[in-house]
Amino acid sequence: MRKAVYLILTLAALLVGSCIDSASKYNKEINEAEKIMQGNPDSAMSILDEIDPTNLKIDSLRAKYHYLIAFGHMRQNRSMIGDSLVAFAHKYYSGKDVVRDVRSGTAYAWYKFWVGDTPGAIAMLDSIVRLSNLPDSLVAPTLRIRVLLGVSEYQGETLIPLAKRLVAIEPDTFRQIEAKYMLMSAYEYAEKLDSALLLSEELIDYARSHKWGDKHFIFELEQAQILGEMGRTDKSNRVVESIFETSSPDNGAADILHLQLAMNALNSDNLSLATKELAIADSFAVKFRKEEDYTYYRSYSNLLHTMIDFKQNGKIKLMHINGLNNRQQERYNRAKASQWESERSALQQQGRALALKTESQHKTVVILVIALFALIIVVSAAWIIRQRRLRERENEERAEALQKMVDELKSTPAQMQADVHTPEALRRAMLQQLGIIKMVAETPTEQNREMLRKISSIDSDTDGELVNWKNVFELINTLYDGFYDRLQASFGDVLTPKEKQIIVLMIAGFSTKEISVITGQTTSTIYVRKSSIRKKLGIPEKKDIVTFLRQNTPD
């Protein structure tokens, strides 16, 4: 039993140790991913993808994992539809870890943007960038996203101080140029066009001096639009023409350039030129733009077509209104389809995670059941072995006692054995008393049976029987007032020898099973012979055989 207890304790220790080892292993892997997340988010995400989040039972590990997963998706500009648990991570780190608090909060805000809650995302980012005593290196990524969302929402006055702060804290020149470009947009939306124009000149000069061809083009096009909004259409046209001079007339952005010329002509009430430029812009858009980009372009060109028609005819056609609405509806439908696809992908990932969790739990249950059965078998086997050894030890002790008594009896002189009144003769009677026979019947091992044969055959051979029936009958006569002789006198001619043996053993208190052991018969045979005894002696079924014989064998 003690071994079984040790085994249980060992299994429990192994289980606890494996849980601790697993937690330590996961913590090491997650820390490694966090260490490289800033510089190499792809490698960090590869590490995290190998971890099954259902195995993370400790809150600190779960919070760190979900924060890094969401932060990694944000860094990779991937869908965050399935990153809802970043809310748990942000709540966990709030007030505990400044760096993780800020980064998980930024990731949570970006998640809100992905699920369509842009106002909620902006409010959360505002609460983060307003925190005091944050280092610029920590607040810059959060502020960058805040300004970007402000530009997408066409914020003006609100966005200007945030964009200025971002320009001041950006760590490198390239990031500063991006921040200045967003500041220029904020000036435009606030209708501070002079400030926007000055900033565009600065951006163009920098791009020209550093030979940033693509950025140079973008900044000049932005300047042309600002000039057009200021009513300086001639200057705006010259900027567009200078772009055409440095690039081919059919460059990839020709449709946007001609669209700007059409807007300038429309603002100058030159409808024929506006119509001409818009037609050229449409032709380039059909030629160069893919389906999604073309839809985006048409959302602008249809508006210009509607305005030109209205100025020419003084009427607005339903066809143009439908065209505008259809383009917007198409963009909305595409955005919703993209969101649904992202949600479907997130649900599929969650489904796979649940399937893996269910499979893991199933395996765990199977292992636990097998371990439980194994433990039960081991404990049962240990108990059975222990009981068997105890019985064997008891049998050995009995056999030794019997052997000692046999040896003592055999060493007694013959003349002393013949004298029934000597103590030695009485010892022989005690050896052969029914208690010894009953002991063998209760524990019918081959060793005990052989010992009983030796005892029974001290005076004469047993003829292969387990006992010397003559001695047994004599003992029954002595102990039960001559019962065997009375049985023989009353029913000796009716009963068989086997039936007489059964009766004397019943008188001595032997059970059916014990009688079957002593007589060498099956229990079924004993029951049949008992029925035969009842019939031969006329014993009623409800009458006890022993009671009947004691009453019907006269002294």
Side-chain angles (χ1 to χ4, degrees):
M1 199 65 182
R2 185 178 298 174
K3 292 182 178 179
V5 174
Y6 287 155
L7 180 61
I8 294 172
L9 293 176
T10 302
L11 289 174
L14 289 174
L15 181 61
V16 173
S18 64
C19 292
I20 294 174
D21 289 343
S22 297
S24 177
K25 173 177 173 290
Y26 289 136
N27 188 51
K28 182 179 179 180
E29 291 175 349
I30 294 173
N31 285 340
E32 179 63 24
E34 185 176 27
K35 189 184 301 182
I36 64 175
M37 178 64 76
Q38 290 291 334
N40 194 346
D42 291 339
S43 297
M45 294 299 288
S46 296
I47 295 174
L48 296 174
D49 287 341
E50 295 298 320
I51 298 175
D52 181 1
T54 59
N55 292 330
L56 304 177
K57 308 302 182 183
I58 304 174
D59 282 351
S60 60
L61 287 180
R62 292 176 59 228
K64 195 186 303 182
Y65 172 83
H66 290 296
Y67 140 62
L68 287 175
I69 283 288
F71 192 74
H73 288 159
M74 183 181 70
R75 293 271 297 160
Q76 293 175 317
N77 199 26
R78 288 170 54 185
S79 170
M80 295 184 66
I81 297 296
D83 290 323
S84 60
L85 286 176
V86 69
F88 160 77
H90 181 54
K91 183 178 180 180
Y92 178 85
Y93 287 123
S94 181
K96 295 180 181 177
D97 187 315
V98 174
V99 174
R100 290 171 180 160
D101 185 7
V102 170
R103 289 178 178 171
S104 62
T106 303
Y108 186 25
W110 198 239
Y111 162 78
K112 284 178 172 287
F113 169 75
W114 265 95
V115 297
D117 184 14
T118 302
I122 290 175
M124 176 165 281
L125 292 170
D126 282 338
S127 67
I128 295 174
V129 299
R130 282 197 297 264
L131 293 175
S132 59
N133 301 323
L134 289 181
D136 291 345
S137 59
L138 182 59
V139 77
T142 304
L143 186 57
R144 193 179 302 138
I145 294 174
R146 168 61 183 93
V147 173
L148 180 64
L149 290 184
V151 171
S152 69
E153 291 294 298
Y154 305 102
Q155 290 182 344
E157 290 288 351
T158 304
L159 190 60
I160 290 173
L162 296 172
K164 285 182 176 181
R165 181 184 175 189
L166 181 61
V167 171
I169 68 173
E170 280 292 16
D172 59 69
T173 304
F174 181 76
R175 290 288 191 187
Q176 287 179 346
I177 294 300
E178 287 185 335
K180 287 180 178 180
Y181 182 77
M182 289 188 285
L183 176 59
M184 180 181 66
S185 299
Y187 281 137
E188 286 187 70
Y189 302 148
E191 296 186 356
K192 294 183 177 182
L193 300 181
D194 290 334
S195 297
L197 186 60
L198 288 174
L199 200 50
S200 70
E201 291 286 357
E202 180 182 345
L203 294 174
I204 291 171
D205 290 342
Y206 189 89
R208 184 185 298 113
S209 63
H210 288 78
K211 298 181 179 179
W212 286 1
D214 54 342
K215 298 294 183 184
H216 189 194
F217 164 76
I218 293 173
F219 297 152
E220 285 190 324
L221 178 58
E222 194 72 34
Q223 187 180 67
Q225 293 173 353
I226 295 170
L227 289 169
E229 291 180 21
M230 296 176 71
R232 298 167 63 178
T233 55
D234 291 340
K235 177 65 174 174
S236 176
N237 290 337
R238 285 197 293 273
V239 172
V240 173
E241 290 170 0
S242 69
I243 295 174
F244 276 125
E245 290 175 359
T246 56
S247 60
S248 60
D250 58 349
N251 62 75
D255 53 347
I256 300 297
L257 294 170
H258 284 285
L259 190 66
Q260 183 62 46
L261 293 176
M263 291 176 63
N264 290 341
L266 183 60
N267 286 332
S268 301
D269 289 328
N270 191 341
L271 299 182
S272 60
L273 180 59
T275 303
K276 176 183 175 183
E277 293 293 345
L278 189 54
I280 296 173
D282 289 343
S283 65
F284 277 121
V286 171
K287 183 177 180 181
F288 293 119
R289 301 229 171 236
K290 295 181 180 180
E291 182 179 357
E292 186 172 350
D293 290 338
Y294 181 72
T295 300
Y296 179 74
Y297 165 83
R298 291 291 293 177
S299 66
Y300 287 94
S301 66
N302 282 345
L303 178 60
L304 290 183
H305 279 292
T306 302
M307 295 175 68
I308 291 172
D309 285 347
F310 178 73
K311 283 200 171 187
Q312 287 177 337
N313 305 316
K315 297 179 180 179
I316 295 179
K317 296 181 181 179
L318 182 60
M319 175 182 65
H320 291 147
I321 299 297
N322 288 338
L324 288 171
N325 181 66
N326 289 341
R327 297 291 81 77
Q328 294 298 326
Q329 188 65 39
E330 286 175 6
R331 292 186 64 190
Y332 174 77
N333 290 340
R334 288 177 185 274
K336 292 299 293 184
S338 177
Q339 182 176 343
W340 290 337
E341 181 63 26
S342 298
E343 291 175 351
R344 188 174 69 87
S345 177
L347 289 174
Q348 287 177 343
Q349 292 178 357
Q350 293 177 358
R352 286 194 293 269
L354 288 175
L356 289 172
K357 181 179 180 180
T358 303
E359 182 180 354
S360 176
Q361 290 177 339
H362 177 71
K363 290 179 180 178
T364 302
V365 170
V366 171
I367 291 171
L368 289 176
V369 170
I370 293 174
L372 180 60
F373 274 111
L375 182 61
I376 292 173
I377 291 171
V378 170
V379 172
S380 301
W383 185 84
I384 292 171
I385 292 171
R386 183 174 181 274
Q387 293 298 113
R388 184 174 297 174
R389 286 179 178 175
L390 288 174
R391 287 197 298 269
E392 289 176 353
R393 189 179 299 116
E394 291 174 357
N395 293 336
E396 289 174 358
E397 291 174 354
R398 289 177 179 176
E400 289 176 1
L402 291 173
Q403 185 64 51
K404 183 178 180 181
M405 297 174 75
V406 170
D407 293 341
E408 290 177 353
L409 184 60
K410 285 185 175 180
S411 65
T412 304
Q415 64 271 19
M416 293 181 68
Q417 294 183 21
D419 189 353
V420 296
H421 299 292
T422 64
E424 287 76 17
L426 291 176
R427 188 179 184 82
R428 181 179 66 80
M430 292 176 63
L431 275 170
Q432 293 182 328
Q433 65 182 318
L434 294 181
I436 298 176
I437 299 174
K438 190 173 181 62
M439 180 192 71
V440 175
E442 289 175 349
T443 313
T445 63
E446 188 57 37
Q447 188 179 20
N448 282 353
R449 290 176 178 175
E450 183 60 28
M451 189 60 62
L452 187 57
R453 287 192 187 95
K454 290 180 180 180
I455 296 172
S456 301
S457 62
I458 288 176
D459 289 334
S460 60
D461 190 13
T462 59
D463 295 328
E465 295 281 353
L466 196 59
V467 297
N468 186 319
W469 286 106
K470 181 180 179 181
N471 292 336
V472 172
F473 294 151
E474 290 177 358
L475 185 59
I476 292 296
N477 274 333
T478 301
L479 296 176
Y480 297 98
D481 300 325
F483 176 82
Y484 177 74
D485 289 342
R486 287 187 279 114
L487 178 68
Q488 186 70 12
S490 299
F491 305 108
D493 296 337
V494 179
L495 297 171
T496 65
K498 289 290 184 182
E499 290 170 345
K500 294 175 185 177
Q501 294 172 6
I502 293 172
I503 289 174
V504 297
L505 291 176
M506 289 175 65
I507 288 292
F510 283 73
S511 68
T512 301
K513 182 178 180 181
E514 293 168 346
I515 293 172
S516 72
V517 173
I518 299 300
T519 60
Q521 304 174 78
T522 64
T523 53
S524 299
T525 302
I526 300 301
Y527 283 120
V528 171
R529 291 190 185 280
K530 283 184 178 181
S531 298
S532 176
I533 291 171
R534 285 184 181 277
K535 288 182 180 179
K536 288 180 178 181
L537 304 185
I539 302 173
E541 286 294 329
K542 295 183 178 180
K543 186 76 172 180
D544 182 64
I545 294 176
V546 172
T547 302
F548 176 86
L549 289 173
R550 283 179 174 172
Q551 294 173 350
N552 291 276
T553 52
D555 294 338

